[in-house]
């Protein structure tokens, strides 16, 4: 006899034994993840020191101004590039369209700080491009070709070129799923294609646009490599300055608190703007949009225009990195390069494994014991991705330094760093930062698996653990692999967390490429950067194979 869904009942002993174990594990995990947030908020409310007084009077207004201007500029650019490209690809047919709809995703594989120092090297006075312009046309280029890229406008352009795929992907999927019925009705009322774009497509795509821009702004607030290299003082660089230059822990905590408030305000605004509005088309009325075929000059001009973000955000920088790598590989490929690769891969693989295990625990707990408070608990443990890496690093260092002090008092070892500056601290930071990345993939896979399987397994006497290991995990294997792969790549290119929390004399590919760039040795940074980019490209390819859901 089959088990009817919703009729399965556990005995009190069975419920108590399993419920307490799974929920207690998730509760412990959520409390551990909350530790950095608690330390930041507690320090944020305490009194400041002399360094904090100097920061508030002299530096804080500049941090706030640059951060807000950076967010505004990047938001506008990614909307123009991402939404514009998505709309053109959705309604027009032109040469190279099928290639460009995939190629536009490529810049996401290139970290923003790598793109930044590559373009700085490309436009530098001594670069092959500048030399060619001077020798061929006799034009005096100045320190940088075209304009001073090491500036706030330059940082805006670089971040936009690196992050626009977030907006492009969400907007393209949205436009592709809209029925032609609405646009045909608008055309019958005399609206031109441009009028349809502004008055129909943009308002209807608002949820996708806001979702994409929200992710972009989170990345902007988390960025340290671009803004520090380009000399733009933001909250993130201010945290590094307060901690390492001023030696003021309380000032770094307070700046982290202000940045957290800014992030939470952004999340609240994004949630409020959704409201209860509906943006869907009429059910049963869907019909694919018939693309207009462009011809002649317009067709090739459109191809070039849409290809421009790919050229600037990936193709040209990647070609330059390959050129530099060929020149400098004999110089940097020494005994210290192999440990860089090993450190990076071991760290990324360890973090991916830990995050996947933690997210399987929390997502399966939510599935097996659904309730409001467990849902709140699990969601709270996934807040780390919305918090910039520099903020998390400070929030983690404070309690870990306190624990080191207590351990030194117990063991009477003097002032030694037992926990701080170890792999344990770094892996914990990655768990807090990237847990949401794993959870989103695994939870989405779990929702596609019927709970009747769980109930049938338990009715046959199998425990929750056996059900999870022998039934659920094999069914959601693609989601688990995708989650691990995404975390692996994120850790591989993560910079602020690793810079602050890494062990002494411990370098990764990301840190080495950044250090070479800040030492004005950009060509030497190319080999490390190319490995990171290659892994990013491999991730895009593997994810398309795992999910089997390519962009249409």
């Amino acid at each position: 006899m089959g088990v009817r869904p919703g009729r399965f009942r556990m005995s009190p002993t069975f419920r108590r034994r399993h419920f307490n174990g799974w929920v207690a594990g998730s509760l412990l995990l959520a409390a551990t993840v909350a530790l950095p947030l608690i330390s930041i908020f507690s320090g944020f409310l305490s009194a400041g020191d002399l360094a904090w007084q100097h920061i508030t009077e002299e530096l804080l207004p500049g941090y706030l101004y640059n951060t807000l201007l950076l967010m505004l500029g990047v938001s506008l650019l990614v909307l123009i590039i991402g939404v514009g490209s998505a709309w053109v690809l959705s309604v027009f047919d032109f040469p190279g369209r099928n290639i460009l709809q995939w190629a536009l995703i490529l810049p996401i594989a290139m970290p923003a700080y790598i793109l930044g120092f590559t373009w700085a090297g490309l436009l530098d006075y001594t670069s092959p491009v500048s030399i060619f312009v001077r020798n061929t046309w006799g034009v005096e280029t100045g320190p940088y070709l075209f304009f001073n890229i090491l500036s706030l406008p330059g940082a805006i352009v670089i971040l936009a070129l690196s992050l626009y795929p977030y907006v492009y992907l969400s907007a393209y999927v949205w436009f592709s799923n809209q029925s032609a019925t609405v646009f045909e009705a608008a055309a019958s009322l005399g609206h031109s294609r441009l009028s349809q774009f502004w008055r129909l497509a943009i308002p209807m795509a608002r949820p996708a646009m806001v979702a994409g821009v929200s992710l972009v702004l989170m990345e902007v607030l988390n960025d340290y490599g671009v803004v520090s290299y380009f000399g733009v003082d933001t909250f993130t660089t201010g945290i590094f300055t307060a901690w390492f230059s001023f030696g003021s822990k309380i000032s770094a905590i307070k700046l982290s608190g202000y940045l957290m408030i800014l992030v939470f305000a952004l999340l609240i605004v994004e949630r409020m703007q959704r409201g209860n509005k509906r943006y869907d088309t009429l059910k049963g009325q869907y019909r694919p949009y018939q693309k207009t075929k462009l011809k002649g000059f317009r067709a090739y001009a459109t191809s070039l225009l849409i290809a421009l973000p790919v050229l600037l955000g990936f193709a040209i920088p990647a070609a330059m990195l390959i050129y530099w790598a060929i020149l400098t590989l004999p110089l940097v490929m020494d005994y210290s390069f192999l440990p860089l690769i090993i450190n990076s891969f071991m760290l990324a693989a360890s973090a991916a494994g830990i995050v996947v295990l933690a997210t399987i625990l929390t997502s399966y707990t939510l599935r097996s014991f659904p309730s409001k408070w467990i849902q709140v608990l699990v969601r709270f443990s996934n807040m780390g991705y919305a918090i910039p890496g520099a903020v998390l690093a400070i929030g983690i260092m404070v309690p870990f330094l306190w624990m080191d002090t207590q351990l030194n008092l117990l063991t009477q070892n003097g002032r030694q760093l037992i926990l701080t500056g170890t792999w344990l601290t770094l892996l914990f930071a990655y768990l807090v930062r990237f847990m949401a990345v794993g959870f989103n993939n695994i939870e989405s896979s779990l929702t596609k698996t019927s709970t009747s399987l769980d109930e049938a397994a338990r009715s046959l006497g199998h425990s929750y653990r056996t059900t999870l290991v022998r039934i659920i995990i094999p069914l959601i294997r693609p989601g688990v692999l995708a989650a691990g792969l995404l975390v692996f790549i994120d850790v591989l290119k993560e910079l602020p967390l690793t810079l602050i929390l890494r062990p002494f004399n411990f370098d990764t590919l990301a840190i080495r490429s950044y250090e070479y760039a800040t030492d004005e040795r950009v060509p030497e940074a190319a080999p490390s950067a190319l490995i990171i980019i290659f892994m990013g490209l491999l991730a895009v390819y593997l994810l398309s194979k795992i999910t089997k859901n390519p962009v249409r």
Side-chain angles (χ1 to χ4, degrees):
M1 180 181 296
V3 179
R4 294 176 60 188
R7 302 287 294 179
F8 179 76
R9 294 290 184 270
M10 295 179 288
S11 67
T13 303
F14 188 86
R15 180 190 298 272
R16 183 167 54 253
R17 184 171 66 249
H18 291 280
F19 179 86
N20 290 341
W22 287 93
V23 176
S26 296
L27 176 62
L28 179 62
L29 184 62
T32 306
V33 169
L35 194 61
L37 307 182
I38 296 171
S39 66
I40 290 173
F41 277 123
S42 60
F44 179 69
L45 299 175
S46 61
D49 53 10
L50 291 177
W52 176 245
Q53 182 179 353
H54 169 71
I55 290 173
T56 53
E57 292 176 357
E58 303 293 335
L59 302 177
L60 188 58
Y63 293 159
L64 181 61
Y65 175 79
N66 288 337
T67 301
L68 293 177
L69 204 59
L70 194 68
M71 293 169 64
L72 178 62
V74 174
S75 298
L76 291 175
L77 269 184
V78 296
L79 282 173
I80 293 171
I81 299 172
V83 177
S85 300
W87 171 252
V88 171
L89 286 166
S90 300
V91 301
F92 295 111
D93 188 14
F94 49 89
R97 178 191 171 276
N98 293 334
I99 297 175
L100 286 173
Q101 70 175 355
W102 271 109
L104 281 163
I105 308 173
L106 292 178
I108 207 169
M110 184 172 291
Y113 58 89
I114 293 177
L115 184 64
F117 71 67
T118 303
W119 270 111
L122 267 167
L123 302 179
D124 184 73
Y125 184 84
T126 59
S127 72
V129 179
S130 296
I131 293 173
F132 175 80
V133 170
R134 287 196 302 271
N135 294 342
T136 305
W137 293 300
V139 177
E140 181 54 43
T141 59
Y144 290 95
L145 189 64
F146 303 128
F147 75 107
N148 183 12
I149 192 172
L150 298 184
S151 60
L152 180 59
I156 290 173
V157 172
I158 293 298
L159 287 170
L161 287 174
S162 176
L163 301 174
Y164 80 83
Y166 289 109
V167 176
Y168 162 72
L169 282 171
S170 57
Y172 182 70
V173 171
W174 186 274
F175 289 145
S176 299
N177 290 330
Q178 295 308 302
S179 176
T181 307
V182 177
F183 299 100
E184 289 173 352
S188 67
L189 294 174
H191 289 281
S192 65
R193 189 62 57 83
L194 184 61
S195 177
Q196 293 174 35
F197 174 71
W198 285 112
R199 304 186 66 175
L200 280 178
I202 292 295
M204 290 173 64
R206 181 179 171 184
M209 291 163 55
V210 171
V213 171
S214 298
L215 287 173
V216 168
L217 291 180
M218 295 300 171
E219 293 295 327
V220 169
L221 291 175
N222 179 60
D223 177 74
Y224 173 73
V226 173
V227 292
S228 63
Y229 186 74
F230 281 44
V232 180
D233 292 328
T234 62
F235 273 106
T236 307
T237 60
I239 292 169
F240 276 79
T241 301
W243 186 276
F244 294 106
S245 298
F246 295 158
S248 175
K249 180 178 71 175
I250 191 62
S251 298
I253 294 174
K254 283 184 168 294
L255 283 173
S256 300
Y258 277 114
L259 189 52
M260 278 183 60
I261 292 173
L262 185 61
V263 170
F264 289 151
L266 181 65
L267 292 174
I268 292 171
V269 169
E270 189 273 335
R271 181 67 62 177
M272 289 177 61
Q273 74 84 33
R274 296 185 193 178
N276 295 318
K277 302 180 182 68
R278 291 183 58 185
Y279 296 86
D280 55 328
T281 54
L282 294 175
K283 294 182 178 179
Q285 299 294 319
Y286 175 78
R287 190 170 70 255
Y289 200 93
Q290 296 298 317
K291 297 177 179 61
T292 302
K293 188 174 182 61
L294 300 178
K295 298 179 180 179
F297 174 77
R298 289 183 61 193
Y300 292 103
T302 302
S303 299
L304 180 60
L305 184 64
I306 300 301
L308 199 58
V310 182
L311 293 173
L312 298 178
F314 183 82
I316 295 175
M320 196 65 201
L321 285 171
I322 293 172
Y323 170 73
W324 282 332
I326 294 172
L327 292 180
T328 61
L329 197 58
L331 299 176
V332 299
M333 187 63 74
D334 54 14
Y335 67 92
S336 65
F337 194 78
L338 183 59
L340 284 179
I341 300 176
I342 295 174
N343 289 345
S344 301
F345 278 71
M346 289 295 294
L347 195 62
S350 301
I354 292 171
V355 170
V356 165
L357 289 176
T359 49
I360 288 175
L361 167 66
T362 54
S363 58
Y364 188 65
T365 300
L366 183 61
R367 173 188 175 92
S368 302
F369 308 100
S371 67
K372 285 289 184 182
W373 72 272
I374 293 180
Q375 186 175 16
V376 171
L377 184 72
V378 172
R379 299 298 177 188
F380 183 78
S381 65
N382 291 317
M383 289 177 56
Y385 195 68
I387 302 172
V391 175
L392 274 182
I394 299 301
I396 289 170
M397 282 195 73
V398 172
F400 271 67
L401 286 171
W402 179 84
M403 285 188 284
D404 277 339
T405 302
Q406 303 307 310
L407 289 173
N408 285 327
L409 291 176
L410 289 174
T411 58
Q412 297 181 348
N413 286 331
R415 300 182 63 182
Q416 295 184 9
L417 297 179
I418 301 172
L419 300 175
T420 308
T422 63
W423 270 53
L424 176 65
T425 310
L426 203 49
L427 290 173
F428 173 68
Y430 292 142
L431 171 64
V432 178
R433 176 86 172 92
F434 299 116
M435 190 166 170
V437 177
F439 181 83
N440 290 338
N441 285 274
I442 292 174
E443 186 195 32
S444 64
S445 298
L446 278 175
T447 55
K448 300 174 185 177
T449 307
S450 174
T451 55
S452 299
L453 295 172
D454 306 54
E455 295 172 346
R458 293 199 298 273
S459 69
L460 295 174
H462 293 291
S463 65
Y464 281 87
R465 181 179 61 82
T466 304
T467 303
L468 173 63
V469 173
R470 298 182 62 180
I471 298 176
I472 302 301
I473 290 181
L475 291 174
I476 64 170
R477 187 174 298 162
V480 172
L481 293 175
L485 188 60
L486 285 172
V487 174
F488 181 89
I489 296 302
D490 279 336
V491 172
L492 195 64
K493 62 184 182 181
E494 170 63 35
L495 189 61
L497 270 179
T498 314
L499 270 174
I500 296 178
L501 299 177
R502 60 176 168 154
F504 185 69
N505 282 336
F506 180 87
D507 284 334
T508 63
L509 292 169
I511 291 175
R512 179 60 60 88
S513 61
Y514 173 75
E515 288 179 342
Y516 272 134
T518 52
D519 289 342
E520 302 300 330
R521 300 166 64 186
V522 175
E524 285 94 326
S528 303
L530 279 175
I531 295 176
I532 297 174
I533 295 169
F534 173 76
M535 291 306 302
L537 291 174
L538 184 61
V540 173
Y541 173 77
L542 292 177
L543 284 173
S544 67
K545 293 297 183 181
I546 290 171
T547 58
K548 297 187 182 300
N549 185 30
V551 177
R552 291 186 292 130

